[in-house]
């Protein structure tokens, strides 16, 4: 990889830039007008303005620590001259809240979406087969294979296919704990997703996660939109497959068309995800995605940040951007929940920079967690929701979840995201249905080595002269194009049938 | 269902029989020579001999409590005249240990098995694709679909197919806790299963459950038997699929034949499983399977009992049959572990008979848990192993697991079972690879309503004049036939690709 750019500016507000490769002594940083007096390693910070002792060091547009000595422009900023203050992790709910400056100019900030009868907008149009338990996993996969592999859908080009939402749980579990509630929300969130035009729940019959329980909880009844079947009542595996295939064939004519029309970007809910991070994640893809997220929020849309363990230690930064005391407190409550969850399970939450992190240029816990939260941008925190809980706010919303990609993305889709942007440095083979995933490479080497998986290269922020701002614009355009129906790489590969992984909490009994 | 038989004798040692339907007053019990003076409801016990106050009440060939009054033949035995003693749940390791009386006559107790180079015997012959993480689940499924759906295997009729072992975990987890050890044992157990002739591990590359870690732990290297690939190193989803398909095509000629030959039943490891139990489970299928299990043990074979939460409260009965202090203690240790596991997860272990159980005729906790353990028979307890731990003993072995069918069966197969017998009263759509599952209906109505799923009807113990003993013989013959290659119902349906569910313990991070 040829390095054309020696340092990356992550935000116009920053007083540091990040070395995109080792910066030799004497280098004049392009665009910054500063000379680097001594070699700075890749990933480390370089001051671009004088930072007097006690002043904030700003990266990602956020305070990551304070100068412990006077720092001159061009100097290496790290543990020898930068540290966190004693109160940097205090919760001051809403202290940094600034209302979103909504853009008035909508030109170009629209996509071709599918308007549903209830006013919501889909980016895809699937029939969902929802297994309530692993015991019906094979049945729903056979049904999906039968329909998708036949010519039944040829007459319905506006249907993207039948998706089988098979998973490993649904029984051998408590029926009234957080794990059961997670699964309920996920099943219901998928069944009612704006990218789904009809849902068939298929159970075995005697499982903990009863269809009747979902009916009672969410008050749905059979109709064109929702259908239910159990294997035990239908007479076994083969008869249930036949019955469900017929059911799909019968409802198809009643589902109506799904004409795409111009809708404003404010109708879009974009989920943010990362997996297989590398040293470039916090310099290229995450900050660029964060700026794109801010743009979407400025256009009135919604972005969903998640992966609670990865923001741990910097959650107070989000708390300070909270739109209300209640929202701030909800995030603090989830952090406390995670501390308990990991302790109960004999693990621990710890996001302190490791020796390896420090060698890589990360100075404080704030800076480390900001590398992950950077993809959420700098918008105020509009709401905090539970895993898979329906999101109704616009703006930046935090959905609680593990960092584990399939479990986190499953919750984000259940919460209503119609699209996912997924940054990866080491490479990911993730894909999702009914909401598609766009994958952003943090470095050009990855983009070139996994061409069938990567949608967009953010590595050219380092080696191709792209700025974070221009890359954000490119991501935003890509998001609108895929929302309008353009197939992402993971969709072209057909991925998404095996990545539905509801977050399982609680004992398996 | 016409009731031809009014009461079921579960063991020749019993001093009670069980009403197979409501028994009217004045009924003379066929074969027992006793008159029932007052109506006894279905599922309840009837004394067949005088049981003086203080004497043991014996059902399943086991003490389930003691007479609290003198009980006359024909009398209803329940809470009014039967209760557990104060010391009935004490652990007296090995107190009831009686060595297995091995049978010398092997005539007919053989099956047509596939003898492996290391001497072990397979009942099927699969190529296994083992995903180390959910991130490679789609890739291995595509590879299996490509091979199984093509004519590649036509030249290899002795290969049963390629099985894709996809699951939802492998990352977002601790790398060094019990959950990680569970997954390691499961992956390695499947890869080295006697029903598998070659295994390909496919990972993403950056997951917690590294292929290199498995290599180091189990000391395997690449060769005809084991192969490895990661998506990140191979260049993405599409290239990994192509590479793995080529890999399978290339190793096929080197796998050698798999000629079935006569092998003694002592080479068989049969796992016992139940799911969707009903009021007949403890009267028909479970006791019949228990007798068949005893027969296999008498022929030198191995049976695997599991589902720890379902034996809770009666574990001391197994402890008393333990072959050594160490084996008894291992079971006690697992019970303590489960108490901690459920408490940590805010649940509880409780197998006391509920009011519904009592109305159904279950008098004591011993009797309730014996209904579940009955399928293990009365053999001495030869060993206790962890979930998915390799079993090397012959005789009755207990493998720790949840009761949840797919998680429990996955562990049993990982431990080396080449066959599963699964009893069900409400109906199950379970199937498994690479070891097949035989499904036993506890009642004739189920057998008739799910004809494509049920292999064998145990309901005729109640309504068809079959005895537990004759049914055990029928099950034993079926086991040998399926072990010899006869396809079970779940195999004819193709089940087993979606029921691989490693037991996940610990926080998802
Ligand atoms: Ca991550
Ligand atoms: Ca992730
Ligand atoms: Ca074949
Ligand atoms: Ca069970
Ligand atoms: Ca079970």
């Amino acid at each position: 990889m040829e390095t054309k750019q020696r340092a990356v500016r992550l935000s116009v507000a920053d007083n540091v830039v990040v070395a995109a490769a080792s910066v030799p002594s004497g280098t004049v940083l392009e665009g910054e007008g500063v000379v680097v007096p001594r070699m700075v390693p890749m990933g480390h910070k370089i001051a671009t303005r004088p930072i007097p002792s006690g002043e904030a060091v700003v990266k990602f547009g956020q305070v990551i620590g304070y100068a412990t000595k006077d720092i001159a422009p061009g100097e290496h900023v790290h543990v020898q001259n930068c540290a966190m203050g004693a109160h940097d992790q205090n919760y001051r709910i809403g202290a940094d809240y600034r209302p979103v400056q909504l853009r008035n100019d909508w030109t170009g900030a629209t996509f071709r979406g599918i308007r549903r009868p209830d006013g919501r907008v889909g980016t895809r149009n699937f029939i969902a087969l929802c297994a309530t338990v692993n015991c019906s996993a094979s049945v729903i996969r056979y049904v999906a294979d039968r329909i998708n592999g036949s010519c039944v859908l040829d007459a319905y080009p506006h249907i993207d296919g039948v998706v089988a939402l098979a998973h490993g749980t649904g029984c051998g579990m408590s029926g009234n704990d957080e794990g059961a509630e997670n699964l309920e929300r996920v099943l219901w969130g998928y069944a009612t997703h704006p990218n789904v035009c009809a849902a068939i729940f298929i159970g075995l019959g005697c499982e903990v996660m009863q269809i009747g329980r979902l009916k009672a909880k969410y008050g749905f009844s059979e109709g064109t939109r929702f259908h239910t079947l159990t294997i035990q009542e239908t007479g076994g595996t083969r008869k249930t497959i036949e019955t469900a295939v017929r059911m799909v064939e019968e409802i198809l004519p009643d589902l109506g068309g799904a004409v795409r029309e111009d809708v404003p970007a404010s109708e879009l809910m974009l989920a943010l995800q990362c997996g297989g991070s590398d040293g470039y994640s916090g310099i290229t893809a995450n900050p660029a995605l964060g700026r794109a997220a801010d743009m979407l929020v400025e256009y009135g849309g919604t972005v969903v940040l998640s992966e609670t363990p990865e923001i741990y230690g910097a959650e107070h930064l989000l708390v300070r951007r909270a739109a209300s005391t209640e929202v701030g407190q909800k995030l603090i409550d989830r952090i406390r929940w995670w501390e308990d969850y990991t302790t109960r399970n004999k693990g621990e939450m710890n996001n302190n920079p490791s020796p390896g992190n420090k060698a890589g240029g990360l100075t404080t816990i704030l800076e480390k967690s900001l590398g992950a939260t950077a993809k959420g941008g700098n918008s105020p925190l509009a709401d905090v929701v539970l895993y898979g809980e329906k999101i109704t706010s616009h703006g930046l919303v935090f959905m609680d979840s593990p960092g584990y990609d399939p479990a986190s993305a499953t919750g984000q889709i259940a919460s209503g995201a119609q699209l996912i942007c997924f940054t990866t440095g080491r490479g990911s083979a993730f894909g999702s249905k009914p909401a598609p995933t766009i994958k952003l490479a943090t470095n050009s080497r990855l983009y070139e080595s996994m061409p069938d998986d990567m949608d967009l290269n953010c590595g050219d922020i380092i080696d191709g002269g792209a700025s974070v701002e221009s890359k954000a614009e490119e991501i935003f355009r890509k998001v609108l194009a895929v929302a309008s129906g353009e197939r992402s790489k993971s969709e072209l590969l057909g991925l998404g049938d095996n990545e539905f992984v509801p977050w399982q909490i609680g004992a398996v009994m």
Side-chain angles (χ1 to χ4, degrees), chain A residues 273-348:
Chain A
Q273 189 63 224
C274 68
S277 301
D278 70 353
Y280 297 101
S281 301
I283 314 176
T284 60
N286 286 2
L289 179 55
R291 271 304 296 136
D294 283 345
M295 288 169 66
L296 182 56
V297 169
E298 288 158 16
Y299 282 115
T302 306
V303 299
V304 187
L305 182 69
S306 300
E307 309 181 297
T308 317
E310 296 181 20
I311 67 147
Y312 189 65
E315 71 275 9
H316 59 286
L317 297 175
L318 284 166
V319 164
R320 290 179 193 179
R321 280 149 58 193
S324 72
T325 308
E326 188 201 348
V327 166
Q329 191 58 48
K330 280 204 272 188
L331 184 57
I332 296 169
D333 291 347
R334 294 321 297 163
I335 294 291
R336 295 290 161 267
W337 184 92
W338 269 89
E339 288 170 341
D340 175 58
Y341 172 61
T342 48
T343 304
R344 280 191 283 120
N345 285 286
K346 305 182 180 180
E348 60 171 333

Side-chain angles (χ1 to χ4, degrees), chain A residues 69-80:
Chain A
K69 297 176 183 166
D70 290 342
I71 304 173
E75 251 188 90
H76 180 197
V77 179
H78 200 21
V79 288
Q80 77 285 356

Side-chain angles (χ1 to χ4, degrees), chain A residues 147-159 252:
Chain A
I147 299 281
N148 294 331
S150 72
C151 50
V152 168
L153 293 180
D154 288 357
Y156 304 91
H158 54 286
I159 306 271
L252 274 167

Side-chain angles (χ1 to χ4, degrees), chain A residues 426-439:
Chain A
R426 306 194 52 186
S428 158
F430 185 79
S432 51
K433 293 177 182 173
T437 289
I438 298 170
K439 290 208 291 291

Side-chain angles (χ1 to χ4, degrees), chain A residues 11 18 47 55 93 115 135 143 172 221 266 268 303 354 360 379 432 459 467:
Chain A
S11 167
V18 181
E55 290 278 296
I93 298 179
R115 183 75 73 172
C135 309
V143 174
S221 54
S266 57
L268 202 59
V303 299
S354 63
S379 302
S432 51
S467 68

